């Protein structure tokens, strides 16, 4: 079994993927979808985090990046897992992590972007699920406003809905996905 196949199996074993073609699930956008992809549940399991990190590292190891991150909360465990995997890899890569707050803090330094980054750093934006692309776009805008160079995005699952991929590519950014909704649907029956 490949690492990719193991990740697909992990989505099902952890119940992080559900399919209900009759009732569906309400998305953050307010729209309904027959699929529910819950990467926060998936990333709660060490084995699943390792699989995500392994596949993500293989998909991005040729990129010239200095840091990786995305919108809180979902991107924090993803970025940290990938960064840790890359640090243990040969050759070792020290990819720092950051995250983008949904709103700037109203105290302290009032930052929107938290982490150790420097203007000019090459950043990889990570996210759990790509649907409309809204959270990825917000992270891209915030990272670029902080002086980071953003040319690449990595998501765990591309739902292939709401033109998310096209919206991100309009920002001159390449998108890599570890899986698509089609991968999670292969041979599945409703799981409500």
């Amino acid at each position: 079994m490949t690492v990719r196949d193991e990740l697909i199996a992990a989505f099902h074993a952890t119940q992080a993927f559900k399919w209900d073609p009759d009732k569906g699930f309400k998305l953050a956008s307010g729209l309904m979808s027959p699929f529910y992809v819950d990467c926060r549940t998936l990333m709660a399991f060490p084995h699943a985090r390792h699989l995500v990190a392994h596949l993500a590292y293989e998909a991005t190891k040729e990129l010239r990046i200095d840091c990786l991150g995305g919108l809180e909360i979902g991107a924090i465990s993803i970025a940290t897992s990938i960064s840790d995997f890359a640090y243990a890899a040969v050759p070792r890569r020290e990819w720092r992590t950051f995250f983008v707050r949904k709103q700037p803090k109203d105290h302290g330094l009032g930052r929107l972007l938290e982490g150790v980054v420097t203007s000019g750093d090459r950043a990889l934006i990570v996210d759990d699920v790509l649907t409309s692309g809204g959270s990825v776009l917000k992270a891209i805008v915030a990272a670029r406003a902080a002086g980071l160079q953003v040319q690449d995005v990595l998501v765990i699952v591309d739902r292939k809905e709401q033109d998310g991929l096209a919206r991100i590519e309009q920002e001159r950014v390449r998108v890599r996905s570890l899986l698509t909704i089609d991968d999670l649907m292969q041979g599945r029956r409703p799981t409500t």
Side-chain angles (χ1 to χ4, degrees), residues 3 52-62 85 95 176 178:
V3 176
V52 167
H54 186 161
L55 283 176
Y57 175 76
E58 290 300 321
T60 59
K61 67 183 178 184
E62 301 304 323
F85 192 95
W95 293 340
R176 292 166 171 77
L178 302 182

Side-chain angles (χ1 to χ4, degrees), residues 12 20-21 31-32 41-43 57 63 67 74 83 85 110 123 133-135 137 141 170-171 176:
H12 296 287
D20 183 345
L31 297 176
M32 297 298 289
T41 294
L42 179 81
M43 295 299 285
Y57 175 76
L63 297 178
C67 56
S83 176
F85 192 95
S135 61
L137 291 169
V141 168
Q170 286 177 345
E171 296 297 316
R176 292 166 171 77

